[in-house]
Amino acid sequence: MSSQHGFAPAAALLLLVTLAGCPQTALSEDSAQRDAWRGVVQTTLEYKTSLERLLVFREQEVARVSALVERQREFLAHGIIARRELDESIDRLERARRAAEETRQQIRTADAVLAEAAAREQVAAEPPDFHGAGQLVRFAGNGGWSLAEAPRLQTFFARRFGRPLPVSAWGQTLVHDRLGFDHRNALDIAVHPDSAEGQALLAFLKSSGMPFIAVRSTVPGTATGAHIHVGPESHRLPPN
């Protein structure tokens, strides 16, 4: 029987078996680190809430300007307004739609940060011999990773699955800046680690020696925040 994600229950086990012999960084962290990750979770939740409030306003603006455009189309048809007025409103609608989509993308990025931080908090609370069998699995790679390697990953994915690699965050983003994370040499891929795509990506990353963190959702029954982080771990940036 499939899970709520639609993945076979054996998929998660296969992931762990595949990675069982991989060099992994130590997964035990002290209580100070655990408290630090708990703080990141709280900060990210607060930031995500502010983004969700902003999205409401931006979606309302899209709806308002969309209705205006429809009215103006009728006015233009009856010669009540000039074409220039409609064109200006159409441009405004496009800007509103872009702003709303940018906010949605920021929420998705915040979800990824949240899932990773929550998973790290969980790992930090586990005993020293814990090996990432829950929400997070790490692979250290061979130390030669840079974003210049990303095209290899894009080519592999496109050839294997016939669609572009679903990158949700390439390098440093506004969200990472806002949360104080160094994501300059990493990218996040919006696939669930236990999916067929996720399994293939992890196998490719492992065989290529590319470091990664596979993060499952921390929200039961959903894929919210699940992703594969490729590159070095995102650490907090020093305060300005």
Side-chain angles (χ1 to χ4, degrees):
M1 181 180 296
S2 297
S3 69
Q4 292 183 344
H5 295 300
F7 310 131
L13 179 59
L14 176 60
L15 171 65
L16 297 177
V17 171
T18 301
L19 299 177
C22 297
Q24 298 181 5
T25 57
L27 298 178
S28 176
E29 300 178 58
D30 60 25
S31 60
Q33 290 173 312
R34 184 170 64 251
D35 290 344
W37 283 117
R38 185 176 296 120
V40 172
V41 169
Q42 183 60 38
T43 299
T44 307
L45 281 170
E46 293 171 356
Y47 181 52
K48 180 184 174 183
T49 297
S50 70
L51 288 172
E52 289 172 336
R53 290 171 179 162
L54 176 61
L55 181 59
V56 170
F57 288 112
R58 288 188 164 169
E59 288 180 335
Q60 288 174 342
E61 176 69 1
V62 169
R64 190 178 69 80
V65 180
S66 180
L68 174 62
V69 167
E70 291 307 309
R71 289 197 303 272
Q72 288 185 333
R73 290 188 195 278
E74 294 181 7
F75 293 161
L76 180 63
H78 291 85
I80 300 174
I81 64 171
R83 177 73 200 189
R84 177 182 54 80
E85 292 183 62
L86 175 60
D87 288 342
E88 289 175 352
S89 295
I90 290 174
D91 288 343
R92 183 176 175 183
L93 177 58
E94 182 57 31
R95 290 195 300 271
R97 285 173 172 165
R98 284 199 302 268
E101 181 53 35
E102 287 171 2
T103 304
R104 292 188 196 97
Q105 179 56 46
Q106 289 173 340
I107 290 172
R108 289 191 288 268
T109 301
D111 278 334
V113 173
L114 181 61
E116 188 172 333
R120 291 204 203 181
E121 180 189 346
Q122 172 188 327
V123 167
E126 297 293 340
D129 59 350
F130 182 69
H131 292 297
Q135 300 302 322
L136 178 148
V137 175
R138 299 175 185 170
F139 175 65
N142 58 18
W145 163 262
S146 77
L147 280 178
E149 296 291 315
R152 290 176 55 202
L153 188 54
Q154 292 174 304
T155 299
F156 161 78
F157 190 89
R159 288 176 176 173
R160 180 71 175 268
F161 297 105
R163 70 183 184 100
L165 184 71
V167 176
S168 57
W170 185 291
Q172 197 74 4
T173 71
L174 291 174
V175 173
H176 292 99
D177 283 341
R178 174 65 176 78
L179 296 174
F181 270 83
D182 185 353
H183 200 260
R184 290 171 292 185
N185 196 31
L187 68 156
D188 292 341
I189 304 170
V191 298
H192 197 290
D194 297 335
S195 68
E197 293 179 339
Q199 293 278 297
L201 276 171
L202 293 178
F204 178 83
L205 291 167
K206 176 178 174 289
S207 66
S208 302
M210 298 178 180
F212 65 78
I213 301 176
V215 184
R216 300 182 179 92
S217 174
T218 54
V219 182
T222 77
T224 302
H227 67 285
I228 297 174
H229 169 108
V230 184
E233 296 185 29
S234 295
H235 295 291
R236 301 303 295 273
L237 290 166
N240 293 328

